[in-house]
Amino acid sequence: MVLAGGIGGARFLRGLKSAVPDADVTVIGNTGDDIHLFGLKVCPDLDTVMYTLGGGINEEQGWGRAEESFAVKDELAAYGVGPEWFGLGDRDFATHIVRTQMLSAGYPLSAVTEALCARWQPGVTLLPMTDDRVETHVLIDTADLDESQRGEGGESRKAVHFQEYWVRLRASVDAHAVVPVGAESAKPAPGVLDAIADADVILFPPSNPVVSVGTILAVPGMREAIAEAGVPVVGLSPIVGDAPVHGMADKVLAAVGVESTAAAVAQHYGSGLLDGWLVDTVDAGSTQAVEDAGIRCRAVPLMMTGTDATAAMAREALALAEEVSA
Ligand code: GDP
Ligand code: CA
């Protein structure tokens, strides 16, 4: 069982599938990044996992479809219909149309995800964390924005959708808080709690600890179910050498008062949740601090440079799981 965000989660899953091809893998996907655009429901993290494992991903980019074209986006722009900062390609649009059509017909997101996966055959059971609407919002100070970003109105604290913060603003201003709106009343999707209870091992891939794994853990019952599953819980650090490997995870970590170090992220999850934690070899000096926090820690190469390197990371995570359960 793996809790996954987008790119980091998806790439790790590809390595895990390669390391243990016969394993039954259930993935709980983050839906806090979901956004309604052009009347369509877009689920970036679920789609990144589905496309990556199903062979449809744009490999260089890490998200979106391979061999994509942007005729619809150009046509929307010609009508002056935005937002123009969120890139949806023609092939990708089809996914969102099918999803939205099924949701409008009354199917829950979990059933829709299953239907989309029937085409992509990702080789894992992909479950959204919840069928309920959860939307991550980021609190920013409009005074921090430059004029082109600011728009109308005075200076004040403002909550923006996570995608607006991440994609439009490129996390260029401080995040003062990260709020998974709707999480408090969300229920785990059908099958999620059973999958946790049935798991042999629970892995946190190198996904964003705040807006990916953190959002999944914010669904009531999720954290408790994982802590009480009685199986090893092992995570892999998305922070290498005191910085995120890609992206701006440091910004949202700062918003929750966590330093961008491999050890601080482990302590943020805490020994109540994590039994084991892998840091990169460059962070070998921090293993003691993690162990002092009651979490078994090893330093191994954690750069997902290819499927073989990522499979080796997955094997290390499973070995550590074995070790902590002994
Ligand atoms: P997102 O939803 O696309 O942002 O993806 P995730 O939440 O799954 O993961 C993003 C995180 O993965 C970022 O914080 C990156 O630092 C981390 N990451 C990306 N590539 C690698 C890698 O090769 N190794 C490690 N250790 N972390 C990585
Ligand atoms: Ca994401």
Side-chain angles (χ1 to χ4, degrees):
M1 141 91 40
V2 179
L3 269 49
I7 302 176
R11 289 194 172 151
F12 175 75
L13 283 162
R14 187 151 61 182
L16 179 67
K17 289 292 295 169
S18 160
V20 284
D22 298 330
D24 233 327
V25 180
T26 299
V27 179
I28 302 179
N30 171 42
T31 59
D33 292 15
D34 294 5
I35 184 166
H36 284 83
L37 293 169
F38 314 110
L40 301 174
K41 168 90 161 174
V42 180
C43 302
D45 284 358
L46 294 178
D47 288 349
T48 296
V49 170
M50 184 174 79
Y51 294 156
T52 300
L53 298 179
I57 199 78
N58 177 326
E59 290 289 344
E60 295 74 52
Q61 210 168 240
W63 53 271
R65 290 289 310 279
E67 290 159 40
E68 189 57 286
S69 55
F70 292 88
V72 174
K73 185 173 196 274
D74 292 346
E75 289 296 314
L76 288 165
Y79 284 111
V81 173
E84 72 301 321
W85 47 264
F86 201 90
L88 291 180
D90 300 333
R91 293 175 187 274
D92 203 17
F93 259 114
T95 303
H96 312 314
I97 290 169
V98 173
R99 172 184 292 123
T100 306
Q101 181 169 267
M102 285 189 72
L103 289 170
S104 308
Y107 290 96
L109 183 63
S110 49
V112 175
T113 304
E114 190 180 345
L116 294 171
C117 284
R119 169 183 175 194
W120 289 102
Q121 298 288 316
V124 299
T125 304
L126 177 60
L127 304 174
M129 63 188 201
T130 181
D131 279 335
D132 301 319
R133 184 163 169 172
V134 176
E135 237 175 50
T136 302
H137 285 203
V138 178
L139 200 61
I140 62 168
D141 234 320
T142 52
D144 295 339
L145 299 172
D146 65 38
E147 251 160 64
S148 66
Q149 296 169 327
R150 200 175 294 163
E152 304 296 305
E155 295 175 358
S156 60
R157 283 286 165 97
K158 181 183 168 193
V160 295
H161 190 287
F162 171 72
Q163 299 296 355
E164 184 172 359
Y165 180 70
W166 207 248
V167 180
R168 183 171 88 89
L169 300 175
R170 307 289 313 154
S172 57
V173 297
D174 287 346
H176 294 285
V178 177
V179 185
V181 177
E184 65 289 344
S185 57
K187 292 177 299 300
V192 165
L193 294 180
D194 287 342
I196 294 172
D198 290 347
D200 299 317
V201 181
I202 299 172
L203 300 177
F204 294 2
S207 277
N208 191 305
V210 181
V211 293
S212 293
V213 179
T215 307
I216 299 172
L217 294 173
V219 176
M222 201 73 85
R223 181 181 284 273
E224 295 73 12
I226 292 169
E228 289 160 14
V231 298
V233 180
V234 171
L236 299 92
S237 179
I239 304 293
V240 171
D242 299 343
V245 177
H246 294 294
M248 302 77 68
D250 49 322
K251 289 293 205 161
V252 287
L253 280 166
V256 296
V258 177
E259 263 184 80
S260 284
T261 67
V265 173
Q267 288 157 0
H268 170 64
Y269 286 132
S271 60
L273 205 56
L274 280 184
D275 302 302
W277 184 244
L278 293 178
V279 300
D280 189 81
T281 44
V282 305
D283 297 312
S286 66
T287 53
Q288 193 56 49
V290 178
E291 297 244 331
D292 289 347
I295 300 162
R296 198 80 62 92
C297 187
R298 296 283 173 272
V300 299
L302 285 191
M303 295 303 284
M304 299 190 282
T305 48
T307 303
D308 289 349
T310 311
M313 286 166 54
R315 278 188 215 100
E316 292 286 359
L318 293 171
L320 186 55
E322 187 100 344
E323 191 188 318
V324 296
S325 62

